[in-house]
Amino acid sequence: MGADDGTAGRDRPPTTARWSGRRLPRSALPGTVFFAVAAPCGLIAAVGGVVERDWVLFVGGAVIALLFGSLLGLLVVASSRGSGAAPTLAQSPRGTSGVRFGYSTIAYFWFTTVLVMCVVVGLIVAVATGTSGSVFGGVAGVVFAGMAVLLAWYLVALLRLAPGELLLSPAGIAHRGLTSLYSVPWSAVQAVEAWRLGTSVIVVKADPSPESVVRRYTGRFDTGELRFLPFLLVRTYWLAADREVVLSALAFYHAHPELRGELATPEAVRRIAEGRTGS
């Protein structure tokens, strides 16, 4: 675990030169190309199934088109810089108001579609293998059915907690990810940094604190940010706001404890929106 991007401590603002314009690594390009080819092929197969009245071909083509099309949509959204959505005031887990940077609704849509299609594929394979009449097919059917049920449970938990957010309040910083919640008090924060861990991430380097709160709503089946505890990590491709705006706001209020009280007021939202957190 190492930081290979610019850092931000109390005495200096964050630098993001090595973030460049990408939020996903170049290694994601082959997958993007494959999905861009596979999705139209599935659509063509589905149309062919309708023309030929071959409903097996139609279902198979439709599933392929939807699965790889949703994966393509997720990668495209994740590789963008964010929509530039403005922060808003919201309630913090501690009951006070704070500045909220929400997760992208579009990213949620595509990720949810991917999970739904994976559940559908799992059920189709489970039925196909489970009714084959062989012992191996029966075992495979149970395995695939179990995987589909597990993904469905994860999907329900994700939708119940949606949308995720990063919230800055006078008391501290709280990150509600897809299936977890982690909050740290300002007194435990040591630095704010920009890292690349395959993708670009914002890291709040924090010490262990009895005031910190960790909640794992799906046990160990999370997106990996909690592996770095007590550090708080946010994968920037989930954020609707521009990641540099979020990083700048975190670093500014870390460096100016005397101004953290305004995080419960519209003044903080105005300051961030006007770009007055860059110094």
Side-chain angles (χ1 to χ4, degrees):
M1 179 175 68
D4 59 358
D5 290 285
T7 63
R10 280 188 179 277
D11 301 323
R12 52 180 173 153
T15 58
T16 58
R18 297 188 64 185
W19 258 357
S20 71
R22 297 178 293 109
R23 296 205 290 188
L24 289 181
R26 290 189 178 91
S27 59
L29 181 60
T32 304
V33 173
F34 173 75
F35 299 149
V37 173
C41 288
L43 182 59
I44 292 171
V47 173
V50 173
V51 173
E52 299 294 331
R53 294 188 178 180
D54 185 338
W55 302 117
V56 173
L57 179 61
F58 167 74
V59 172
V63 168
I64 290 174
L66 288 171
L67 176 59
F68 291 115
S70 56
L71 284 167
L72 176 63
L74 180 61
L75 282 177
V76 170
V77 171
S79 62
S80 69
R81 293 181 64 92
S83 64
T88 58
L89 278 181
Q91 289 293 113
S92 75
R94 299 174 184 270
T96 61
S97 297
V99 176
R100 175 185 181 272
F101 294 96
Y103 272 24
S104 168
T105 302
I106 299 176
Y108 258 101
F109 170 78
W110 286 120
F111 186 62
T112 299
T113 305
V114 169
L115 290 180
V116 169
M117 294 313 303
C118 287
V119 171
V120 171
V121 170
L123 291 176
I124 291 175
V125 175
V127 172
T129 56
T131 57
S132 63
S134 66
V135 175
F136 175 79
V139 173
V142 172
V143 171
F144 278 103
M147 292 173 59
V149 170
L150 180 63
L151 280 176
W153 164 74
Y154 182 88
L155 176 61
V156 170
L158 180 150
L159 293 176
R160 182 172 62 85
L161 297 170
E165 64 183 11
L166 179 68
L167 194 138
L168 284 60
S169 72
I173 306 166
H175 176 220
R176 186 169 76 244
L178 298 181
T179 58
S180 63
L181 169 70
Y182 179 40
S183 67
V184 295
W186 285 109
S187 59
V189 176
Q190 298 301 316
V192 177
E193 302 186 350
W195 288 12
R196 283 204 70 86
L197 296 175
T199 63
S200 65
V201 297
I202 294 174
V203 179
V204 177
K205 301 180 79 172
D207 294 327
S209 170
E211 298 179 50
S212 296
V213 176
V214 180
R215 294 175 184 167
R216 302 175 186 265
Y217 298 103
T218 55
R220 296 292 175 176
F221 294 96
D222 56 41
T223 52
E225 289 94 343
L226 297 183
R227 292 188 295 112
F228 298 91
L229 292 176
F231 291 4
L232 185 152
L233 267 70
V234 182
R235 300 182 191 277
T236 62
Y237 56 72
W238 289 114
L239 294 171
D242 188 293
R243 60 189 179 177
E244 295 186 13
V245 172
V246 180
L247 177 64
S248 179
L250 279 165
F252 178 84
Y253 286 105
H254 173 239
H256 297 279
E258 73 280 3
L259 296 177
R260 291 172 191 162
E262 72 180 27
L263 286 168
T265 70
E267 174 56 31
V269 174
R270 285 194 296 269
R271 182 189 296 277
I272 295 169
E274 293 170 3
R276 291 187 284 121
T277 59
S279 60

